């Protein structure tokens, strides 16, 4: 309950930033709704004054006046819509950077927030606040005023207006109650069907090679059928309520006109008032009709606000860190524990060791011993930790992340080249420095390979993704890790996909970096790679089994 209250306070504070826009929209809505009485007054004057006096001059004057008022109505509605669109753009400008950062941090932390949907939530909010839904909210308070005006024409018409207003509100509520769950179920089923399909397409080669297409097609067809069945149920329910709403709308117009005609017959109402009452009734109930039509988007906007405020609260804006001094590369690990939400036991258990600056540390151990998790802790991207990792006696979280990232090179096991050119990927999508890009490529021995590509360094990754070997992709990622001459370099299985030539280039690059006094962490399963290391760290079940200078650790193991 406290969290819900806090989130709603945050939402209210955010909406208060747009109070000027909402104030002006309210004033323009006041003008628009007052001007909406123009057709009613015009008809009353035509039937009750012009038709009686047969004055053409009066008719001309009234028509010119009404035309001017209609022009003012159109102008006020246009200004209202324009203000809302501008508010939506300002809302996007204000929130997009924060949502991007929070969604990225949520994904990095493996949190339970749906980071992929963050911008969908933002779009839902913006569309609601710039669409018919929010205009209906500003117009709804005028419904009672219109009903009062109708009642002034005749109390019976006012009672009919109140009854139909209550019926429309009830229909809107019932429509939401009966169709929301089925619509959500249909959306989830459709998302599941598309997820199954995309998973198959991502692994098309393996599916085709091992004859898995038939079985996977049956699974997708089953998910697709469920999706279509849920969509049919939701669509049928919505159509039923739409038909009922349409019937009530037509019935309202006919009953209003018929009741007014009866009053005219009994001499209790004029012909002009009869037609005006019908127009006023339509105008009085129109905001309720719009509100019913946008009820779903209003609920989605409310849910989106709650989810976004929860995301932004969980990942608040980072304060600018002050530590951006030159980096030497000494790392200390003090009681480091790394956890994962899917595990009860920690992945790493209380690691304590120190790596001097400018040394090469090889990290080995059996699969599942925590080597890759330790690599992520070293570069500061594993969020679920206890203890501390410090660089040059400063905790990693206290460094300015943008500054620190320029001085860290990281090659993960899972290689992911981003959409862009070869040069973009090597340069980390920073402002392009051709000399640094070529230098990084030459260090990895791929300069000549890149020049043989269709457009050299300007070749888009998307055009060659299918023809790049695993080894070539790994060497491109290695060039990205070495770009800009970083001081701390973490290489997780850098030779896993390399041939002999690629491995020689890797060893040569490590030797060069070692001579330049870089701090290097090398995770490997190949013992011959240990020759370039100064220190050796052996992990077993997330604990340090051995650590120290390489020769001492090797001798200690040999004596056992």
């Amino acid at each position: 309950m406290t969290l819900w209250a806090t989130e709603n306070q945050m939402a209210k504070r955010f909406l208060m930033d747009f109070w000027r826009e909402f104030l002006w929209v309210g004033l323009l809505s006041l003008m628009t709704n007052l001007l909406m009485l123009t057709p009613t007054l015009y008809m009353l004057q035509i039937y009750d004054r012009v038709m009686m006096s047969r004055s053409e001059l009066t008719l001309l004057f009234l028509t010119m006046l009404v035309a001017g008022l209609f022009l003012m109505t159109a102008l006020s509605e246009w200004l209202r819509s324009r203000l809302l669109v501008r508010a939506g753009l300002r809302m996007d400008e204000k929130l997009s950077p924060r949502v991007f950062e929070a969604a990225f941090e949520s994904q990095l932390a493996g949190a339970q927030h749906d980071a992929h949907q963050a911008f969908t939530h933002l779009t839902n909010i913006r569309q609601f606040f710039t669409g018919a839904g929010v205009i209906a909210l500003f117009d709804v308070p005028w419904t009672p005023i219109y009903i009062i005006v109708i009642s002034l024409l005749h109390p019976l018409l006012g009672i009919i207006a109140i009854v139909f207003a209550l019926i429309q509100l009830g229909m809107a509520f019932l429509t939401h109650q009966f169709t929301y769950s089925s619509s959500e179920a249909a959306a989830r089923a459709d998302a599941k069907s598309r997820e199954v399909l995309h998973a198959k397409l991502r692994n098309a080669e393996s599916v085709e090679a091992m004859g898995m297409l038939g079985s996977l097609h049956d699974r997708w067809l089953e998910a697709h059928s469920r999706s279509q069945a849920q969509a049919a149920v939701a669509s049928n329910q919505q159509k039923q309520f739409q038909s009922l709403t349409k019937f009530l709308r037509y019935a309202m117009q006919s009953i209003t006109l018929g009741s007014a005609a009866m009053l005219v017959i009994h001499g209790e109402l004029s012909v002009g008032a009869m037609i005006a009452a019908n127009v006023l009734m339509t105008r009085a109930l129109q905001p309720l009709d719009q509100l019913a039509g946008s009820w779903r988007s209003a609920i989605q906007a409310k849910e989106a606000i709650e989810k976004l405020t929860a995301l932004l609260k969980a990942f608040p804006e980072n304060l600018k860190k002050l530590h951006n001094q030159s980096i030497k590369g000494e790392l200390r690990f003090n009681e480091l524990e790394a956890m994962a939400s899917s595990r009860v036991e920690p992945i790493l258990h209380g690691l304590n060791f120190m790596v001097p600056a400018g040394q090469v540390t090889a990290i080995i151990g059996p699969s599942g011993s925590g080597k890759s998790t330790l690599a992520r802790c070293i570069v500061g991207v594993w969020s679920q930790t206890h203890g501390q990792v410090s660089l040059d006696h400063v905790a990693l979280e206290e460094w300015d992340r943008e500054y620190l990232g320029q001085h860290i090179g990281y090659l993960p096991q899972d290689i992911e080249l981003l959409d862009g050119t070869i040069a973009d990927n090597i340069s980390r999508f920073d402002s392009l420095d051709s000399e640094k890009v070529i230098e990084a490529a030459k260090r990895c021995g791929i300069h000549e390979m890149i020049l043989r590509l269709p457009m050299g360094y300007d070749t888009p990754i998307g055009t060659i993704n299918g023809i790049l070997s695993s080894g070539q992709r790994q060497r491109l990622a290695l060039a990205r890790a070495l770009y800009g001459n970083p001081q701390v370099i973490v290489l997780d299985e850098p030779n896993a996909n390399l041939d002999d030539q690629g491995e020689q280039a890797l060893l040569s690059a490590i030797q060069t970096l070692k001579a330049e006094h870089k701090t290097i962490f090398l995770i490997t399963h190949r013992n011959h790679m240990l020759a370039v290391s100064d220190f050796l760290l052996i992990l077993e079940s997330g604990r340090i089994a051995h650590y120290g200078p390489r020769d001492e650790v090797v001798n200690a193991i040999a004596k056992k």
Side-chain angles (χ1 to χ4, degrees), residues 9-231:
Q9 288 172 3
M10 292 174 65
K12 289 176 182 176
R13 284 199 299 270
F14 169 73
L15 293 176
M16 284 302 295
D17 290 341
F18 299 89
W19 69 270
R20 289 184 181 85
E21 285 87 345
F22 291 141
L23 175 62
W24 277 107
V25 170
L27 292 174
L28 288 169
S29 296
L30 168 64
M31 181 184 296
T32 300
N33 281 278
L34 285 174
L35 290 170
M36 283 296 177
L37 294 171
T38 300
T40 304
L41 296 174
Y42 182 66
M43 279 186 286
L44 283 172
Q45 294 301 313
I46 291 292
Y47 281 97
D48 296 342
R49 185 183 297 273
V50 175
M51 297 298 289
M52 298 296 294
S53 66
R54 297 184 179 274
S55 172
E56 294 180 359
L57 185 61
T58 303
L59 176 60
L60 178 62
F61 177 77
L62 284 174
T63 303
M64 291 176 61
L65 178 62
V66 165
L69 293 175
F70 281 158
L71 184 62
M72 291 178 61
T73 304
L75 181 62
S76 64
E77 287 188 328
W78 175 74
L79 288 173
R80 181 170 64 171
S81 300
R82 184 175 174 82
L83 270 172
L84 289 172
V85 170
R86 288 181 60 184
L89 291 174
R90 194 162 76 86
M91 183 184 298
D92 191 83
E93 291 174 1
K94 183 180 178 66
L95 273 182
S96 287
R98 280 285 297 115
V99 171
F100 179 86
E101 292 175 4
F104 180 80
E105 291 177 16
S106 173
Q107 184 71 16
L108 192 65
Q112 297 302 311
H113 298 278
D114 193 352
H116 297 286
Q117 293 295 318
F119 277 92
T120 301
H121 298 325
L122 182 57
T123 300
N124 287 340
I125 296 170
R126 188 179 65 249
Q127 287 178 343
F128 176 76
F129 282 104
T130 57
V134 75
I135 291 177
L137 288 176
F138 279 100
D139 287 345
V140 161
W142 285 87
T143 293
I145 297 175
Y146 281 118
I147 291 176
I148 291 172
V149 175
I150 294 171
S151 301
L152 292 176
L153 294 176
H154 197 281
L156 176 62
L157 298 178
I159 293 172
I160 293 173
I162 292 172
V163 170
F164 276 110
L166 293 175
I167 289 175
Q168 276 202 323
L169 286 174
M171 282 297 301
F173 177 76
L174 290 175
T175 301
H176 171 71
Q177 288 294 105
F178 283 98
T179 63
Y180 183 74
S181 58
S182 61
S183 298
E184 289 298 303
R188 287 193 298 270
D190 181 60
K192 180 65 176 177
S193 173
R194 284 186 281 108
E195 181 183 337
V196 170
L197 179 61
H198 291 161
K200 308 301 179 283
L201 294 176
R202 283 196 301 269
N203 298 280
E205 293 180 359
S206 299
V207 170
E208 177 67 16
M210 292 185 283
M212 298 159 56
L213 183 60
S215 300
L216 294 176
H217 173 268
D218 292 341
R219 291 196 176 192
W220 169 77
L221 190 59
E222 181 182 350
H224 182 66
S225 299
R226 284 197 299 268
S227 168
Q228 293 300 302
Q230 291 282 5

